[in-house]
């Protein structure tokens, strides 16, 4: 469409210009463009005259059933549905929507990177969802994708766990409650440390440091604790990631990078990139990037920091993976930190494109209607609890229909994930069970249901034919136009790393399908065999787009619901 118009402009005015089309109110046409208004300045003519000239050219092309000029110079176009169907036939291949924009370049995508001290919480739901979608968008755009779970497994919690376990827990409790007991111990010990500090004492804190030291010295008892706690915690993280149906190729956490970070700091000091303060702490000044807060890469006591491990992470990835781009799926709270980190990377001469794929927090509604960041005080905070509750809701959705447990899980997960994509990732999202499971709204179940319905028709009546001669496709026109939009939507979503564009598209496609069924018999009732084969053929494509689009969002389609 855009191309045809661009060609007409080239022919008439001998200029190359990008053309954008929109979908106007159907009363005016199938497509519209305001390109004439954009050209007016450049061509020194009235937009109306330019529009008339382009319109004339387009009429002669024979590609449109109607071309009209409206207002100051809008061009409205009507096409025969058959032409849309032909375009689809020409451009359709197995992965309509996939493209090769990435050209085999390498991208590292980092997610969900939870912290090991506590059980997996909803705080790492968005990193999982958005990270996964970024991965999928890159894959579908021809990038070579490497994924890495940057675990928050650095040393400090270990000391707290050991001391807390010895004081406040027992083998039986750990046996029974696993990581949840560890989380409890961690919180209790943190609280005790806080109270102790307020009282001006440091007995517990000293004990924590002693255990950390023992660990560094490879003391057998400390190592045994570390192994026991880490295994518990890691198994739990993997279990939750399995439930979320996400995985990564690598799992190189902070602990892996800490010793490397120490060395890297030495190198930075030697080269003068980093500076040692009087108290012994080490900073990297970032003034030349307009950032007046330097990045602290080592504490005065020589201890490593978050930034120390990230310094090593950057160097490691450069050396081993040679990425063209690195995407970090991490919440908005860390925006300033990543600005500093990326500036430091530049200072080190790292040319890789660094992206902080940030997103807002998950809010929940208070009883009085106000919004607040989701917290344990108010409701669910444990990821497993959230998933359990979602599954209970999904059971309600399917009532007593014959739906497998597998499908119930898909519905539960689909609902939760889709809600992450209902608006631009940068906005805070409101976690509201009712809208997440709304069967008639902008929700996962609504889109999944539309996909299930299409699939059901196809499995009962066959996949029809991709192209039926002698059928005009007029009844399917809106669907065909929608399908033709898909590759552009995927491209835009990938370029901007905005998966909500896919969610929005899928919702619109689902709505289009529901409108369609209301007026058009597909395979039963008053329908000829030609119609039936052609319509099933269109549905087969719709089905492919639903699975392709939902798979980008990490959502599976149930068999029934
Ligand atoms: N574990 C961190 C957190 O939960 C996220 C890690 C982000 N990645 C990084 N390279 N710093 O806050």
């Amino acid at each position: 469409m855009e191309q045809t118009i661009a060609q007409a402009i080239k022919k008439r005015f001998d200029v190359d210009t990008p053309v954008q089309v929109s979908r106007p109110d159907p009363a005016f046409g199938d497509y519209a463009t305001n390109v004439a208004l954009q050209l007016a300045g450049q061509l020194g003519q009235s937009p109306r005259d330019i529009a008339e000239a382009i319109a004339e050219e387009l009429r002669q092309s024979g590609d449109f059933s109607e071309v009209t000029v409206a207002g100051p110079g809008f061009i409205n176009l009507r096409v025969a549905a058959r032409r849309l169907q032909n375009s689809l036939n020409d451009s359709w291949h197995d992965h309509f929507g996939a493209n090769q924009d990435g050209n085999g370049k390498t991208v590292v995508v980092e997610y969900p990177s939870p912290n090991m001290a506590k059980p997996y919480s909803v705080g790492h739901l968005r990193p999982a969802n958005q990270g996964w979608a970024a991965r999928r968008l890159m894959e579908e755009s021809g990038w070579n994708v490497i994924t890495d779970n940057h675990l928050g497994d650095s040393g400090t919690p270990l000391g707290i766990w050991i001391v807390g376990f010895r004081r406040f827990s027992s083998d039986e409790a750990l046996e029974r409650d696993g990581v949840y007991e560890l989380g409890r111990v961690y919180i209790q010990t943190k609280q005790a440390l806080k109270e102790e500090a307020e009282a001006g004492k440091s007995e517990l804190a000293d004990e924590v440091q002693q255990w950390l030291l023992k660990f560094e010295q490879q003391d057998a008892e400390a190592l045994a604790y570390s192994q026991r706690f880490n295994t518990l915690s890691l198994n739990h993280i993997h279990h939750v990631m399995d439930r979320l149906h996400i995985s990564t190729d690598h799992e190189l956490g902070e602990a892996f990078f800490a010793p490397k970070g120490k060395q890297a700091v030495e190198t930075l000091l030697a080269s003068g990139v980093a500076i040692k303060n009087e108290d012994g702490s080490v900073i990297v000044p970032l003034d030349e990037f307009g950032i007046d807060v330097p990045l602290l890469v080592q504490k005065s006591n020589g201890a490593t920091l978050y930034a120390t491990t990230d310094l090593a992470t950057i160097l490691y990835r450069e050396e081993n993976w040679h990425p063209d781009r690195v995407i970090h799926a991490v919440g908005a709270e860390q925006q300033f930190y990543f600005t500093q980190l990326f500036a430091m990377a530049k200072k080190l001469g790292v040319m890789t494109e660094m992206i902080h794929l940030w997103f807002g927090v998950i809010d929940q509604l208070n009883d009085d209607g106000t919004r607040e960041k989701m917290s344990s005080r108010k409701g669910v905070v444990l990821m497993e609890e959230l998933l359990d509750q979602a599954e209970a809701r999904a059971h309600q959705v399917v009532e007593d229909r014959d739906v497998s447990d597998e499908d119930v899980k898909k519905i539960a997960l689909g609902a939760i994930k889709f809600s992450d994509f209902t608006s631009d990732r940068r906005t805070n999202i409101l976690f509201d069970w009712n809208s997440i499971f709304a069967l008639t709204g902008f929700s996962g179940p609504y889109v999944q249901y539309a996909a299930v319905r299409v699939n059901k028709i196809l499995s009962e009546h066959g996949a029809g034919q991709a192209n039926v001669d002698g059928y005009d496709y007029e009844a399917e026109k809106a669907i065909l136009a929608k399908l033709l939009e898909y590759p552009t939507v995927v491209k835009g979503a990938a370029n901007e790393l905005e998966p909500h564009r896919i969610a929005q598209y899928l919702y619109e496609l689902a709505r289009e399908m529901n409108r369609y069924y209301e007026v058009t018999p597909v395979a039963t009732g008053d329908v000829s065999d030609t119609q039936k084969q052609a319509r099933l053929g269109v549905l087969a494509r719709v089905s492919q787009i639903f699975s392709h689009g939902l798979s980008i969002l990490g959502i599976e389609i149930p068999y029934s619901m």
Side-chain angles (χ1 to χ4, degrees):
M1 182 67 41
E2 288 86 347
Q3 233 174 330
T4 314
I5 301 169
Q7 275 161 13
I9 294 170
K10 174 91 182 158
K11 202 163 161 213
R12 191 53 86 116
F13 295 106
D14 198 29
V15 293
D16 289 302
T17 190
V19 176
Q20 268 164 11
V21 297
S22 58
R23 307 278 312 281
D25 185 313
F28 300 115
D30 300 318
Y31 295 97
T33 177
N34 62 3
V35 70
L37 283 83
Q38 288 164 23
L39 282 171
Q42 187 183 345
L43 297 177
Q45 293 180 35
S46 87
R48 180 88 202 183
D49 290 347
I50 298 171
E52 291 290 2
I54 299 172
E56 193 43 47
E57 199 62 49
L58 289 172
R59 281 183 201 112
Q60 283 167 19
S61 77
D63 286 328
F64 301 95
S65 55
E66 188 183 277
V67 184
T68 52
V69 175
F74 298 115
I75 303 170
N76 290 323
L77 304 159
R78 229 179 262 288
V79 274
R82 181 72 232 186
R83 289 211 168 260
L84 298 182
Q85 172 66 12
N86 290 346
S87 304
L88 264 185
N89 291 339
D90 292 345
S91 52
W92 195 272
H93 39 93
D94 284 348
H95 291 285
F96 188 67
N99 62 69
Q100 288 302 314
D101 288 359
N103 215 353
K105 285 185 292 206
T106 297
V107 58
V108 174
V109 189
E110 192 200 277
Y111 63 85
S113 315
N115 301 318
M116 302 241 307
K118 289 180 259 174
Y120 202 118
S121 83
V122 288
H124 284 89
L125 176 58
R126 298 206 81 184
N129 293 340
Q130 297 288 337
W132 184 265
R135 166 213 183 123
R136 294 285 300 113
L137 282 170
M138 294 294 90
E139 282 172 350
E140 295 301 320
S141 310
W143 286 75
N144 164 35
V145 183
I146 300 174
T147 53
D148 189 16
N149 187 6
H150 192 78
L151 291 170
D153 54 358
S154 74
T156 330
L158 178 66
I160 296 174
W161 271 342
I162 299 178
V163 172
F165 175 70
R166 293 166 65 95
R167 292 230 176 176
F168 309 123
S169 186
S170 63
D171 285 333
E172 298 79 63
L174 196 60
E175 204 71 24
R176 190 183 60 234
D177 297 332
V179 73
Y180 293 101
E181 173 64 7
L182 274 184
R184 190 193 65 74
V185 162
Y186 183 81
I187 291 167
Q188 188 180 356
T189 314
K190 283 279 257 199
Q191 181 62 24
L193 283 164
K194 195 175 146 208
E195 281 163 18
E196 174 191 81
E198 279 162 11
K201 295 203 221 124
S202 68
E203 195 189 323
L204 266 187
D206 292 343
E207 222 178 291
V208 169
Q209 288 310 318
Q210 277 159 22
W211 276 108
L212 285 174
L213 194 68
K214 276 193 192 178
F215 176 70
E216 237 169 73
Q217 292 162 345
Q218 309 274 295
D219 169 81
E221 202 182 3
L223 285 177
Y225 276 129
S226 153
Q227 189 151 47
R228 185 174 176 192
F229 298 158
N230 280 334
T231 307
L232 264 183
S233 181
L234 204 55
N235 283 346
H236 163 73
I237 286 171
H238 289 155
H239 172 67
V240 173
M241 285 174 65
D242 279 350
R243 285 190 75 178
L244 288 170
H245 280 204
I246 62 162
S247 57
T248 58
D249 307 326
H250 300 275
E251 207 156 56
L252 303 177
E254 291 171 26
F256 175 79
F257 291 112
K260 296 179 170 47
K262 265 199 154 103
Q263 284 170 15
V265 169
E266 292 309 318
T267 318
L268 292 196
L269 279 170
S271 69
V273 169
I275 297 170
K276 193 168 236 158
N277 289 326
E278 269 169 27
D279 66 359
S281 61
V282 181
I283 55 166
V284 177
L286 302 167
D287 308 270
E288 64 264 52
F289 301 95
I291 303 170
D292 26 329
V293 188
L295 189 58
L296 185 64
V297 291
Q298 189 170 301
K299 278 206 213 169
S300 54
N301 65 3
T304 52
L305 291 155
Y306 191 44
T308 325
T309 54
D310 265 327
L311 165 62
T313 306
I314 291 172
L315 298 175
Y316 179 91
R317 287 173 179 163
E318 289 298 313
E319 200 174 311
N320 294 281
W321 297 336
H322 315 287
D324 298 280
R325 173 188 282 184
V326 182
I327 297 174
H328 309 75
V330 187
E333 317 84 67
Q334 295 188 32
Q335 258 178 308
F336 181 62
Y337 170 72
F338 277 106
T339 312
Q340 288 181 304
L341 187 68
F342 297 166
M344 176 173 75
K346 279 218 184 81
K347 194 159 170 161
L348 298 176
V350 173
M351 302 309 289
T352 308
E353 180 191 10
M354 298 278 183
I355 296 177
H356 176 202
L357 183 86
W358 59 277
F359 30 81
V361 297
I362 303 180
D363 285 336
Q364 61 189 157
L365 273 187
N366 293 323
D367 293 337
D368 63 1
T370 53
R371 280 172 76 142
E372 188 181 7
K373 183 177 169 179
M374 202 180 233
S375 71
S376 48
R377 203 160 44 81
K378 290 278 162 190
V380 268
V381 73
L382 296 175
M383 198 59 233
E384 291 217 87
E385 250 172 46
L386 184 96
L387 290 172
D388 292 345
Q389 287 191 23
E391 283 169 22
R393 294 255 172 183
H395 267 294
Q396 288 170 11
V397 165
V398 302
E399 290 167 342
D400 43 13
R401 287 193 294 279
D402 187 21
V403 176
S404 70
D405 284 349
E406 201 68 5
D407 279 352
V408 168
K409 286 184 180 150
K410 287 180 185 171
I411 297 164
L413 213 47
I416 298 234
K417 289 188 179 183
F418 196 90
S419 76
D420 210 302
F421 304 114
T422 46
S423 54
D424 185 301
R425 63 180 155 79
R426 299 158 191 92
T427 54
N428 295 351
I429 50 172
L430 181 64
F431 195 90
D432 168 34
W433 285 113
N434 291 333
S435 52
I436 287 174
F437 279 92
L439 287 175
T440 51
F442 185 19
S443 75
Y446 179 79
V447 175
Q448 272 177 332
Y449 188 78
V452 167
R453 187 168 178 186
V454 171
N455 291 348
K456 199 134 256 171
I457 296 171
L458 293 170
S459 72
E460 272 169 31
H461 302 281
Q465 286 168 32
N467 186 31
V468 174
D469 288 332
Y471 181 67
D472 66 8
Y473 289 93
E474 280 302 326
E476 288 72 33
K477 190 168 178 179
I479 298 173
L480 300 179
K482 199 80 215 149
L483 292 180
L484 281 167
E485 282 173 30
Y486 186 65
T488 315
V489 171
V490 176
K491 238 181 228 289
N495 285 344
E496 305 298 324
L497 292 170
E498 288 181 352
H500 73 279
R501 298 179 185 214
I502 308 262
Q504 180 67 39
Y505 172 88
L506 293 172
Y507 172 62
E508 287 165 12
L509 180 61
R511 261 195 336 205
E512 207 61 81
M513 292 312 296
N514 289 336
R515 273 187 218 126
Y516 175 69
Y517 300 126
E518 268 175 34
V519 290
T520 319
V522 176
T524 50
D526 187 15
V527 57
S528 72
D529 195 52
T530 304
Q531 285 171 327
K532 180 172 162 179
Q533 292 312 317
R535 290 173 180 175
L536 289 170
V538 172
L539 258 60
R541 286 181 170 166
V542 171
S543 163
Q544 281 186 47
I545 296 300
F546 272 133
S547 33
H548 191 265
L550 284 171
S551 95
I552 290 179
L553 305 181
I555 297 172
E556 291 167 83
I557 300 171
Y559 173 71
S560 60
M561 70 185 280

